[in-house]
Amino acid sequence: MISISNHFIGEEEKQAVLEVLESGMIVQGPWVAKLEEEFAKMCGVKHAIATTSGTTALHVALLANGIKPGDEVITTPFTFIASANSILFTGAKPVFVDIDEETFNINPDLIEAAITSKTKAIMPVHLYGYVCDMDAILKIAEKYNLKVIEDACQAVGATYNNKVSGSFGTGAFSLYVSKNIMSGEGGMITTSDDNIAELCKLIRAHGMKRRYYHEMLGYNFRMSDLHAAIGVSQLHRLENFTIARKQNANYFNENIKSVIIPKLKSNYGHVWHQYTVRVEGDRNAAVKQLNEAGIEAVIFYPVPAHKQQYMQDIVGDIHLPIAEKLSNQVISLPVHPQLNASDLETIVKEVNKL
Ligand SMILES: *Cc1c(COP(=O)(O)O)cnc(C)c1O
């Protein structure tokens, strides 16, 4: 089976983990600090704050931006559920806005109509590694004085007009094992705002700056040095990983003829967390056919957030036609850096039989 994701662990990761084990210090320490420093540099921001997951990074980023019960946060329904759940954790309500058919991302033209007196923030999600139309989103945020929290969990290193994801607002990243780089489990918040960074650090560790004096309610979302050691090594590989993903995606772009392939604009630096095609016929049969041919094609995501059972109690029975249509058309194909030439040929040959 050609798998949909395949993390890479090399000598650098193994040596780094061994070093942590032998140091006798396993909890948040120098490796977390190193990962934060290098991650901030990669994003072109002043601060990066490590957490336990992308989900907790989003949660902390929202709290640090003052999102609280009764507030509304505008986001996309076409995403992994953690985007919407992190909004619910704060007591705020997710307000779902439909997506753009070509980019799979939130449609900025529909955002203004969803703004109410309760709206406090916009959470764009850079799905599949493709940054949202940030000029349009930042313009609306400025006009209505809204915070911007980027769900960049799938978009580490992705760019828009040469600016890196996570540098447009407060960024949240995942270092989960299937993401473009990983630390096993892990997350990262990015910001150039000193106050937000300080709040994130407090919320991450029980509101504690001075030992056992607690300035506010916080959580335990600290990353361990073991995880950070893997993350640092992976961050060193990011550029090469991204080049390999781009080469694989370019090969698909040139050779896949049977289905709708992603459309690209030149000012976007896609990092191809997923290579996602659209099938207008029987999508589920197409997935089955690919799986039987030894290709782990996967549907990200079969049910948009607003149509999840428990979410209906919160947002009601709303209709977002593009997200609903695309959730019935999308198929993600393996595009990860470990694919070899023969894997790529097999994928193209089988997809072109659809
Ligand atoms: C993976 C992911 C998350 C959550 O990250 P975890 O590390 O799994 O908690 C959030 N949003 C998106 C879009 C993701 O892909």
Side-chain angles (χ1 to χ4, degrees), residues 52-58 79-83 125-128 151-154 172-179 185-187 273 301:
T52 48
S53 69
T55 306
T56 55
L58 284 165
T79 178
F80 179 56
I81 198 66
S83 318
V125 180
H126 309 318
L127 200 73
Y128 304 145
D151 181 339
C153 288
Q154 300 190 0
F173 294 84
S174 168
L175 295 169
Y176 181 63
V177 72
S178 68
K179 300 290 160 59
E185 294 268 12
H273 175 60
Y301 295 90

Side-chain angles (χ1 to χ4, degrees), residues 77-79 81 301-308 311 320 323-325 327:
F78 198 58
T79 178
I81 198 66
Y301 295 90
V303 182
H306 67 290
K307 288 295 179 194
Q308 301 287 348
M311 200 67 82
L320 300 167
E324 288 161 32
K325 180 172 94 173
S327 65

Side-chain angles (χ1 to χ4, degrees), residues 101-140:
E101 184 153 349
E102 286 187 358
T103 64
F104 302 104
N105 284 331
I106 193 166
N107 183 343
D109 295 341
L110 304 177
I111 291 177
E112 276 195 88
I115 294 174
T116 73
S117 59
K118 294 178 179 168
T119 310
K120 292 289 155 55
I122 307 173
M123 180 191 285
V125 180
H126 309 318
L127 200 73
Y128 304 145
Y130 194 73
V131 179
C132 295
D133 181 352
M134 291 312 296
D135 278 351
I137 290 169
L138 291 174
K139 209 161 141 192
I140 296 165

Side-chain angles (χ1 to χ4, degrees), residues 46 63 171 188 319:
K46 261 174 91 177
L63 290 173
M188 192 66 75
H319 181 47

Side-chain angles (χ1 to χ4, degrees), residues 21 24 34 36 43 47 112 121 131-132 149 192 243 273 280 290 295 321 347-348 350:
L21 288 174
K34 188 172 162 65
E36 291 175 337
C43 289
H47 308 281
E112 276 195 88
V131 179
C132 295
I149 292 108
S192 289
I243 289 170
H273 175 60
E280 283 175 316
L290 291 172
I295 297 160
I347 293 166
V348 164
E350 294 301 332

Side-chain angles (χ1 to χ4, degrees), residues 35-208:
L35 178 60
E36 291 175 337
E37 193 189 320
E38 293 189 13
F39 206 99
K41 196 179 273 177
M42 181 273 293
C43 289
V45 297
K46 261 174 91 177
H47 308 281
I49 301 95
T51 68
T52 48
S53 69
T55 306
T56 55
L58 284 165
H59 185 185
V60 173
L62 287 161
L63 290 173
N65 276 280
I67 306 306
K68 57 183 190 314
D71 293 345
E72 291 178 357
V73 178
I74 290 173
T75 193
T76 170
F78 198 58
T79 178
F80 179 56
I81 198 66
S83 318
N85 280 353
S86 66
I87 296 167
L88 291 173
F89 296 159
T90 69
K93 185 182 156 187
V95 173
F96 296 111
V97 165
D98 210 354
I99 58 172
D100 178 276
E101 184 153 349
E102 286 187 358
T103 64
F104 302 104
N105 284 331
I106 193 166
N107 183 343
D109 295 341
L110 304 177
I111 291 177
E112 276 195 88
I115 294 174
T116 73
S117 59
K118 294 178 179 168
T119 310
K120 292 289 155 55
I122 307 173
M123 180 191 285
V125 180
H126 309 318
L127 200 73
Y128 304 145
Y130 194 73
V131 179
C132 295
D133 181 352
M134 291 312 296
D135 278 351
I137 290 169
L138 291 174
K139 209 161 141 192
I140 296 165
E142 194 169 331
K143 182 170 167 193
Y144 293 91
N145 194 24
L146 305 176
K147 311 280 189 182
V148 173
I149 292 108
E150 300 171 68
D151 181 339
C153 288
Q154 300 190 0
V156 60
T159 59
Y160 170 88
N161 291 339
N162 296 317
K163 263 193 85 173
V164 183
S165 71
S167 69
F168 297 95
T170 307
F173 294 84
S174 168
L175 295 169
Y176 181 63
V177 72
S178 68
K179 300 290 160 59
N180 286 23
I181 57 169
M182 62 98 195
S183 62
E185 294 268 12
M188 192 66 75
I189 304 159
T190 52
T191 179
S192 289
D193 183 313
D194 297 342
N195 291 326
I196 298 270
E198 199 53 37
L199 276 169
C200 287
K201 287 181 201 163
L202 282 173
I203 296 165
R204 170 175 68 178
H206 288 296
M208 186 169 76

